[in-house]
Each structure stands twice: as structure tokens, then as C-alpha cells.
Amino acid sequence: MGRPRLSLKALREEHGFTLIELLVAMSLGILVSGIALSLLNFTTADVTRITERVHADQTGRVALEKLMLALHSSCLTAKSDPIKPKSTESKLRFVSETSAENEHGEPSAALPSIKLHEVVYTAGSGKTEGTFVEKSWTSKGIPPNYEFNEKETPTQRIVLTGVQKTENSKKELVPIFRYYRYYRETDSKAVLGELDPTPIVSGIEELNEKEALSVAKVSVSFTAVPEGKENKLNTQFGGGRPVALEDSAILRLSPSSEENSSNLPCAEL
Amino acid sequence: MTTSISYLRSALMRLRGQEGITMIIAIGVMFVTSLLLVATFTAANGEIHLSATDTSQKKAYYAALAGIENYENHLTEDGNYLTYCTNPPETNAALNQVGETTHRATITNESGESLNEEYAIQLLPAESAPANDRKCDPNNLVETMLEEKSPGAVGTFRIESTGYSGNQRRTLVADFRNANFVSFVWYTKYETGDPAIYGEPLKEKEPANYYTECSKFYGERPADGGTPRRCINNFFINGESVNGPMHTEDHAGVCGSPVFGRSENDRIEFGHAYGKPEDEGYSGEGVCSEVKPVFKGKHVLPKEVVSIEPPPGDEELKHIVEPAYEYKNKTEIVLEGGTMTVTNWEENALTKTWTSKTQVGVAYPPNGIIYVAGGCSVPYSPYGPKPKYTEDQACGNVYVRGEYTNSLTIAAENDVIINGNLTTPTNSAGVPTTNALLGLIANNFVRIYHPVKEFYPAKSGKCNGSDKLNAKGECEYTDDAAECDAPNGVGDLENPKIYAAMLAVKHAVIVDNYICGLPELGNLNVYGAVAGLYTNGFTGEFSGSSIIHGYPYDANYDDRLQVEEPPHFLNPIEASWFVQRETLAANPKEEG
């Protein structure tokens, strides 16, 4: 076991780092610190990005879930027409109602009135964000002949802000609302009992009365973007924030039939 | 050699050295890596949590849906499944009385492995259930489970299914309803005439079963024809339209291009396949060569039609009617909004004479049922009719007319005779504006009052058919199935309007003297449902597509009957149940 021997001579020596060594060391220090700070900055930004993404995800999912639940409560009578005419790729018009509680704290048997909902997507432009706005009207009339006076002022609420159309893998914008029906015997290459994968309307077309009567599935697809960040969608740091969400509701009370059947929405057979 | 050793020693020393920036770089990399890891964890944690919640919510929804489909499946296999309440013959782990969710069924995959999803089914009592029996009670099933008062839900029952996945729950409420007589604007078992339309059998010529053999399906009953003609079938002819869903257990006769249904939503069900499995359920029946029906509704082939059998009689209503609303013998009811005037005939036991007693302003029965008891010693014949309108005091017949604003079912042990308009408040389009529904149930016939003149002038000194020419040169209308010339009588209904669901359990809906009188009385306007054991088509007589006697139908389905029915309206013997409505509801407050 040796022990370093400190000599007085060595302690008295005054030579040290040369200027060059010092400059090199400082440069290296600055470089390393710079890299570290950059990484720290990037990481902090990423945490913010992630937080915003999670927030967008959360609000988007909640809005979508609520919409889906409402669609799942749209078969209010057998053979009814849950989706209403004039629905488009940007406007979903449907009826829905949930079972309110009766005096016994149980879901009530009667639905004396139901609601017509109109969910409209308005694309953002400039500093204006894309939004989902829902209008609703309460019915009059006798079940199942519910009537709606759309001239009356509806109840209105903003469902979600920061909404954009989703881009698919082919860089095409996916419609917000898509409507599907079951194959019919008169269709070419009909597979009875299955949904025709081609949406009923496209572009700005509106569902007409006959088409609306046949809608048995609605798909909702959108991208939720953190507030105020829509226009940074394609920037390096904004690119990861939007959350693409999609869900669909099949409007049937029983499984579809492969037999000689039209498989209309809310049909019991 | 010395140089090489020195070089190696120097290299080893450098490797052993701890000075330099390696550690700094390593620490820096670790620092940044750890920051990235924290960021990744934050992102993953947030998104995984959201995704997991989202997935669980969806699983819970589909588990709840599975519960409803499970119950529906049991009901399809056994139409009486509800009667078992929570104790069916084969144990169902998910069944609970209201307020309980302790019994749950686990959803498994095809291999029987649990998917960690469960559902619990609660049998929801009717809102009209007795306060002291608010649960599914097998001994009091109808009162405890079937809705009797809720507008838009009368005749339905409900279950609540809650799905569980992770810590998420979703609850669905399904309303079940059966396909019954009010589900169709036109229901019949046999599309042939009731045996009563043949008049009194000439016993010496015809065997006793000459007409009763007609009570079979097309192809199994004797062919339309013979002398005297028997088994006269009904035909839907050119120009006629069935404005609503339709069901017949039999084969339908079609001539020309009648229209069936209003839209794809109207099921047109012909239930009897004749000859071949792919039979369409209709034909010209050897009478009409042109058979081109127009199906606006959904034509359902016989092989897909679910049978709906009428009950043996309406006596069950006798057991639930409140004593104050059970009448005996001939009764006349005039509906006046929310009250009624009731005239009832009674026989004086001493004098053997009949007198009537009238009560004004009678309130509607609380349970919505009026029952008129009593058979009839004189068999009904539409010709005359027999017994005459003035001679049926001893029969359990109810005459009814007027306007109603509350729901009511009027049933008779014998016949229901509509002797005036039966209306309810409507809008300008004739569509009812209230929830009030009227049911008319007759054990035998639901009849439209249509008197004709008993005596009428002869034409060129001759009378039609077997009508007698008397000394005054008048014809006397007699009971004969052949076409008659007797003109319309006093009190005939012009363009009668009937807003009701009618059911003739053992016979048919018919117009008295339907083969008599000029067709100058307009249409028989029915807004509701028409159901009978035999065809309801004998309301008039046609020559080609032109009416020559009686009334042509103008029947329209009352869509309100899709979702509810008049109080205690009779159901088929075995009914197929289906989900009528499915909505989300709040999750149960109490968890087991």
C-alpha cells in the first residue's frame, strides 16, 4: 500500500492551465451546457405539448362519447327514423332522449317528449376555431308522431372547440359525419345483412327524406386540437398535438337479417 | 521491445484514468434521458388512462347491450319468460328485482374465459304497479309489470341492464312489446268469409259442416264455389289499398294491383305458404288472372312470418272489469268526451217485458274496461240482420257511438255494434291530437249498423233472390246470401268515421246487410286497426272494382298503436316480443 507523498516543492509550483487549455475547456463547457439546455428546453416544450394533447384528447373523447350515447338513445320507437333529413357531412340531425327518473327513482316508462338535435361543424378560419355547436328542440305531438317546430328558438350550446377534419393516410380530409345503410336486394353485389361501406351522401349533399329513413349507422370522425393551436397543425412542434378521434353507432334494436329484409334503422326484426 | 512495453503501459494507464469529460457527458445524457422518460411517462400515463377509460366505457355499454339481448333471446325461446320473474326454469344469473344488481352474469369468450365484463338485469315494475307490490310478482304479473297508464307505453314492460367493465358502468333501459292485433291495420286468421255470411244453412240440402269446413287455410278448405256457394274468399282488388301494416295467417287473394302498405316500415305478412316453400303468400286463387300487387310496404314471405294466434275468447276481460262497469244484456253507450251515457236493458221477471234504464254522465272506468256480458240465443246473420236491432235485448250486445277523450276498451260477450261515428279530437288532417285510444272487442262480431228496408217496391213485379212478393206488391227482404235489392234504411250511417282498434275474437268485423242498399253512403272510414278471425272484407259487395252495395273501406292505420294499445286490449295466445325502445339511463344508485 503506497501513500502519495506531497512534497512542498510541488505545492509551491505556480504553473497551471494554459490560456489555450482554458479556452478549450470553456468552449467545451459552453457547448455541453448549450446542448443540455436545448434538450431541457425541448423536453419542457414536449411536456407542454403532451399536456395539451392529453387535454385535447380528453375534451374530444368526452364530446364524442356524449354524442355516441345520444345516438345510442335514438331508437325511441320501433321502426322510427332516428336520423333526420337535411343531415350532411357537416351537420348531424337526429332525435334522442334518455329515460328520466320517475317518482320511484326508476327510469320512467313514458317519453312524452323527445329532442331533435342538430350538431353542426363549422370549420375554423383565421383565428376562429373550428367548433361543434348543438341546437336542440323539444317535441310536441303524440308519440310516436313527435313534431318539432324548428322556427322556435332552439337551446344552443358549444359542444367542442378546436375541431378539425381528420386527414387520412392518403392525406384526404375525412368527412365529420358519414351515414350508411344496409345493402338492399336491388343493389349490385348486395350482401344482405351487411352495411354498404359507401356513405350515403358526400360533399355538401343533404340527406333527403328517403335516404334519411334508411340510415342505420352513423360515423363521427374529427381531430381535436388544443385551443388556439389549429393553425400550427403542420409545424414541427404542433404536429403531435391534434388527436384524431372516430366512433360510430349502429341504429338497430336487433341484429341485421341476411334474409329478405330491408334492415331499416330501429327495426325490431 | 522496451518501446512496445512502454506504449502498452501508457495505454493501460490512460484506460485506467478517471480524468476527462466522459463522466460529464454520461451524466448529461442520463439527465436528458430521464427528462425524456418523465415526458414519455406523462404522455403515456395521460393517454393510457384516457384510452383505458374509453375502452372500459365502450365495453360496459356493450355488456349492458348483451344483457338486453340475452333477455330478448330468452323471450324469443319462451314467450312466457316474463312470468317467471327472477326464477326461470333455467337459472339466469343476471336477473334481479328492481333496486338490486347483486346477481350478475359474466361475459366470456368462446373458450369460456371471463372477459372481465358483467351485466345485471333489473325487472322494472310498471309505473301503474300497486304501491305495495312494486316488483315483478308472478302472482300479479299483469298489474306489476305491464304498463297500463303511461302514455306511449301501454302494454309494454321494461328491463334495465347495467354493464360493468373495470370501474365503468353503462345502463340501458329496453321497452319490450309484443306483436299483437293492434300492430296491424288488418289482421285475420282466415281470408275467407265467416260462416255466418251464408245465412241459415238449408239443413235438408247441406250437411252441418258445409260452411264450418271453411274454417281452414287456403288450399286446405274446400274451394270457393259449389252450389250453394261456400267458402267465399276475400280478394284485395284493383284500386284498394291497405294503408298500414298487415298480417294474415292465411294466403291472400289478389285481383289486379291493390296497394299494400304505406312505406317500407309497414310489414305485409301473408302467413300461409300454399304448395311450395318459396310461396309468396298470395295469388289469384284461380279466380283472377292478373295478379300484380303493389308493395309499398315490406312484403314478408310466409316462411318468415311469425304466427299470431287469437285467444279463445274475451272472457278474461270479464274477470278484470270493475263491477260497476259490467253490464248484462243489450247496452247502448254514447261517449261524450270524458263521460258517457249508458242505456241498459233489463227484463221484468214477472211481465217478461224489457225496459231500458239510462244513466247520464257516467265516468269512464278507472281501469279503462267496460264489459257487456251475455250470449245470444239467436245465431247472428248479417241479413236482416238477425236478431233484429229491436229484438236483441237479451243478447250481450253493446251499441256504441260518440266522441271520446280518454282511453277505453269496450268489450262484449256477444257483438259490438257501431251505430254512429266514433271519434276523438283530431287536427285538420284527421290525425288524433290526444293519447286517447278506443278498443272494441267482441267475442263474436264487430258490426257496423246498416239497416235496410224490410219492405220495398218490386221491380217489374219481381223480387231479387228469395225475397218474397207480398199481396201489396212489395218485396219482403228475407235472409238470403244472394244479392238483395232492399234499399238503405232509416238511420244508415253516411261516411261513418271510426277511430278505434277493433277485434272480433271468434268471428269477423262486418257490415250488417252488406249485400243490400245502394252504395250511396260513402266510405267506411276506419282510423285504427281491424282484426278478426275471419276476413274483415265483407263490408260491401263489388262488381269488378265498383262497389254496388254497402261500403268500401277507407282504413288507415293509427300509428299511435305502434307504441301503445287501448287498456287491457287482448293479446295473442303466444306473442313474440321485441324491443320497442332502447335508451340510456342513469346508473343504479345502489350497488350490490
Side-chain angles (χ1 to χ4, degrees):
Chain A
M1 290 288 280
R3 193 175 167 193
R5 197 184 293 166
L6 286 173
S7 68
L8 284 170
K9 188 182 175 187
L11 289 171
R12 285 191 198 116
E13 282 179 357
E14 291 181 353
H15 69 266
F17 291 112
T18 64
L19 183 61
I20 292 167
E21 284 172 333
L22 193 64
L23 284 173
V24 168
M26 283 174 69
S27 301
L28 282 172
I30 289 166
L31 188 67
V32 169
S33 302
I35 291 168
L37 282 172
S38 296
L39 285 169
L40 187 63
N41 187 39
F42 171 79
T43 309
T44 310
D46 206 42
V47 168
T48 309
R49 181 181 72 87
I50 287 161
T51 306
E52 287 176 346
R53 179 186 161 88
V54 169
H55 179 68
D57 195 355
Q58 201 165 24
T59 52
R61 277 184 201 274
V62 169
L64 183 60
E65 178 72 1
K66 281 188 175 174
L67 188 53
M68 282 299 120
L69 292 180
L71 282 167
H72 285 312
S73 285
S74 63
C75 282
L76 301 171
T77 59
K79 305 172 190 168
S80 63
D81 45 340
I83 304 301
K84 295 296 177 189
K86 296 184 185 172
S87 292
T88 67
E89 286 186 350
S90 302
K91 183 168 65 181
L92 170 62
R93 288 162 53 80
F94 67 103
V95 292
S96 179
E97 191 59 80
T98 50
S99 299
E101 281 191 1
N102 62 18
E103 58 186 355
H104 308 289
E106 298 153 7
S108 67
L111 286 183
S113 66
I114 60 170
K115 286 194 179 66
L116 168 65
H117 300 269
E118 185 177 279
V119 181
V120 181
Y121 162 69
T122 308
S125 65
K127 289 183 177 177
T128 313
E129 296 177 304
T131 55
F132 277 144
V133 174
E134 181 185 327
K135 297 176 187 171
S136 57
W137 293 265
T138 302
S139 71
K140 294 182 174 62
I142 305 299
N145 300 319
Y146 297 109
E147 293 161 7
F148 301 97
N149 182 4
E150 293 185 55
K151 288 178 183 170
E152 283 182 357
T153 309
T155 305
Q156 191 164 320
R157 71 183 182 102
I158 295 171
V159 177
L160 188 63
T161 54
V163 187
Q164 289 183 334
K165 285 188 179 178
T166 301
E167 227 176 52
N168 66 14
S169 56
K170 294 176 186 172
K171 301 287 178 192
E172 296 163 338
L173 289 175
V174 179
I176 300 281
F177 304 115
R178 282 167 293 168
Y179 311 93
Y180 301 90
R181 66 167 172 80
Y182 282 91
Y183 276 113
R184 291 178 178 150
E185 291 158 307
T186 48
D187 294 335
S188 60
K189 296 179 182 174
V191 187
L192 294 181
E194 288 192 15
L195 285 154
D196 184 342
T198 310
I200 297 176
V201 293
S202 63
I204 56 166
E205 279 179 61
E206 288 184 342
L207 281 177
N208 63 33
E209 210 150 303
K210 195 178 172 190
E211 288 166 339
L213 281 171
S214 69
V215 176
K217 177 186 168 182
V218 179
S219 283
V220 183
S221 176
F222 64 88
T223 294
V225 184
E227 290 171 30
K229 303 287 169 57
E230 292 86 350
N231 300 325
K232 294 181 180 175
L233 190 64
N234 297 317
T235 63
Q236 188 185 353
F237 291 106
R241 280 197 196 98
V243 186
L245 297 166
E246 183 169 342
D247 207 344
S248 57
I250 292 181
L251 314 171
R252 289 277 299 175
L253 292 170
S254 65
S256 61
S257 166
E258 294 173 12
E259 296 292 327
N260 176 20
S261 174
S262 45
N263 289 315
L264 292 172
C266 303
E268 76 280 12
L269 295 169
Chain B
M1 188 67 183
T2 310
T3 313
S4 299
I5 291 168
S6 159
Y7 178 77
L8 274 171
R9 195 172 288 156
S10 165
L12 280 170
M13 286 292 288
R14 279 204 303 278
L15 286 170
R16 283 191 195 124
Q18 292 182 356
E19 69 271 27
I21 59 168
T22 310
M23 186 60 74
I24 295 168
I25 291 170
I27 289 170
V29 167
M30 283 175 69
F31 175 67
V32 171
T33 308
S34 60
L35 283 177
L36 285 171
L37 274 172
V38 168
T40 309
F41 177 75
T42 309
N45 188 39
E47 296 220 41
I48 286 171
H49 178 71
L50 283 175
S51 300
T53 303
D54 198 40
T55 306
S56 290
Q57 285 172 342
K58 283 182 173 53
K59 282 183 174 179
Y61 170 76
Y62 286 104
L65 203 58
I68 288 169
E69 288 182 2
N70 172 279
Y71 198 87
E72 189 181 9
N73 184 46
H74 282 296
L75 267 179
T76 306
E77 287 178 353
D78 180 355
N80 295 319
Y81 198 71
L82 177 64
T83 62
Y84 311 128
C85 290
T86 53
N87 296 302
E90 192 180 328
T91 306
N92 185 337
L95 289 179
N96 297 273
Q97 292 285 8
V98 66
E100 299 168 8
T101 53
T102 47
H103 295 112
R104 297 179 187 178
T106 304
I107 297 176
T108 58
N109 63 14
E110 289 172 356
S111 313
E113 294 159 353
S114 169
L115 295 174
N116 295 320
E117 293 159 37
E118 296 178 319
Y119 61 81
I121 297 169
Q122 291 182 61
L123 302 173
L124 297 178
E127 293 193 352
S128 51
N132 59 354
D133 198 12
R134 289 197 55 75
K135 66 177 191 310
C136 185
D137 182 350
N139 300 317
N140 194 17
L141 190 75
V142 173
E143 283 72 18
T144 56
M145 288 303 289
L146 287 186
E147 294 294 341
E148 287 300 339
K149 288 182 178 169
S150 299
V154 174
T156 65
F157 79 90
R158 295 169 301 143
I159 65 167
E160 181 177 301
S161 174
T162 303
Y164 302 84
S165 175
N167 58 358
Q168 296 297 316
R169 291 182 294 159
R170 283 282 181 266
T171 299
L172 286 169
V173 173
D175 289 32
F176 284 86
R177 177 178 189 76
N178 59 358
N180 57 25
F181 306 112
V182 301
S183 303
F184 308 96
V185 69
W186 182 282
Y187 165 87
T188 60
K189 180 166 182 180
Y190 303 114
E191 270 303 310
T192 191
D194 186 276
I197 68 163
Y198 306 106
E200 288 184 8
L202 304 171
K203 287 173 185 163
E204 64 278 16
K205 287 185 181 176
E206 302 153 23
N209 63 351
Y210 193 72
Y211 298 116
T212 53
E213 276 198 352
C214 298
S215 303
K216 292 177 181 172
F217 293 120
Y218 178 72
E220 296 166 7
R221 62 181 172 250
D224 186 341
T227 306
R229 188 179 170 192
R230 67 170 172 174
C231 299
I232 303 172
N233 296 331
N234 180 51
F235 284 86
F236 294 91
I237 63 172
N238 232 1
E240 281 190 326
S241 55
V242 177
N243 299 314
M246 170 183 172
H247 177 103
T248 177
E249 295 281 289
D250 203 353
H251 186 90
V254 172
C255 278
S257 304
V259 179
F260 292 96
R262 303 161 298 177
S263 72
E264 264 191 305
N265 273 325
D266 289 340
R267 289 171 68 85
I268 307 299
E269 303 180 340
F270 300 142
H272 183 60
Y274 171 61
K276 53 188 187 224
E278 296 303 316
D279 190 87
E280 293 178 307
Y282 66 86
S283 70
E285 297 185 352
V287 175
C288 295
S289 53
E290 190 179 317
V291 182
K292 292 180 178 172
V294 177
F295 289 105
K296 285 188 180 174
K298 184 71 191 165
H299 175 210
V300 183
L301 297 175
K303 64 178 181 180
E304 294 175 35
V305 172
V306 179
S307 178
I308 298 173
E309 279 280 332
D314 70 1
E315 288 80 3
E316 68 176 81
L317 299 174
K318 202 174 179 177
H319 304 302
I320 54 173
V321 68
E322 293 183 19
Y325 293 92
E326 182 179 349
Y327 301 93
K328 200 171 178 201
N329 308 321
K330 179 178 180 177
T331 305
E332 183 163 357
I333 297 173
V334 181
L335 304 173
E336 291 155 339
T339 60
M340 54 193 175
T341 297
V342 181
T343 304
N344 182 238
W345 273 258
E346 282 180 355
E347 187 181 27
N348 185 312
L350 294 173
T351 61
K352 299 289 178 189
T353 54
W354 290 88
T355 53
S356 63
K357 187 180 167 187
T358 299
Q359 290 174 278
V360 181
V362 179
Y364 280 23
N367 70 356
I369 284 280
I370 294 173
Y371 193 82
V372 177
C376 196
S377 58
V378 181
Y380 169 73
S381 166
Y383 313 114
K386 282 186 178 177
K388 291 181 180 177
Y389 296 122
T390 52
E391 297 174 358
D392 61 348
Q393 293 90 340
C395 300
N397 288 350
V398 59
Y399 289 68
V400 60
R401 66 177 191 276
E403 186 183 55
Y404 58 94
T405 52
N406 295 334
S407 289
L408 183 68
T409 292
I410 301 174
E413 197 166 345
N414 195 45
D415 295 347
V416 172
I417 300 144
I418 299 165
N419 65 345
N421 288 334
L422 272 172
T423 57
T424 191
T426 62
N427 62 18
S428 56
V431 177
T433 52
T434 71
N435 286 108
L437 289 169
L438 177 65
L440 301 174
I441 300 175
N443 229 0
N444 293 323
F445 291 87
V446 174
R447 296 156 47 191
I448 313 301
Y449 183 76
H450 180 219
V452 292
K453 288 183 178 165
E454 197 173 351
F455 299 98
Y456 59 96
K459 284 181 183 172
S460 310
K462 288 186 178 176
C463 302
N464 202 329
S466 62
D467 287 359
K468 294 173 191 168
L469 186 66
N470 64 18
K472 294 180 186 173
E474 292 174 320
C475 294
E476 184 181 350
Y477 174 42
T478 58
D479 177 10
D480 188 353
E483 185 182 327
C484 91
D485 282 345
N488 292 318
V490 177
D492 276 325
L493 312 178
E494 288 189 29
N495 273 309
K497 288 181 182 172
I498 302 167
Y499 282 78
M502 298 177 271
L503 170 62
V505 181
K506 296 178 181 174
H507 290 277
V509 177
I510 196 167
V511 170
D512 290 338
N513 296 311
Y514 67 94
I515 58 163
C516 302
L518 289 174
E520 56 197 10
L521 300 171
N523 293 334
L524 177 61
N525 304 289
V526 177
Y527 192 90
V530 188
L533 188 72
Y534 294 90
T535 186
N536 306 305
F538 290 88
T539 60
E541 192 171 35
F542 286 80
S543 173
S545 56
S546 302
I547 183 90
I548 55 172
H549 297 295
Y551 301 91
Y553 259 119
D554 180 12
N556 291 279
Y557 186 59
D558 184 346
D559 283 317
R560 295 177 304 162
L561 295 168
Q562 277 181 11
V563 295
E564 65 179 323
E565 57 193 37
H568 297 279
F569 206 81
L570 288 182
N571 278 321
I573 293 174
E574 193 166 308
S576 60
W577 291 88
F578 58 87
V579 178
Q580 166 179 285
R581 187 168 75 203
E582 207 170 81
T583 54
L584 282 140
N587 289 319
K589 285 169 189 162
E590 292 178 22
E591 287 295 286

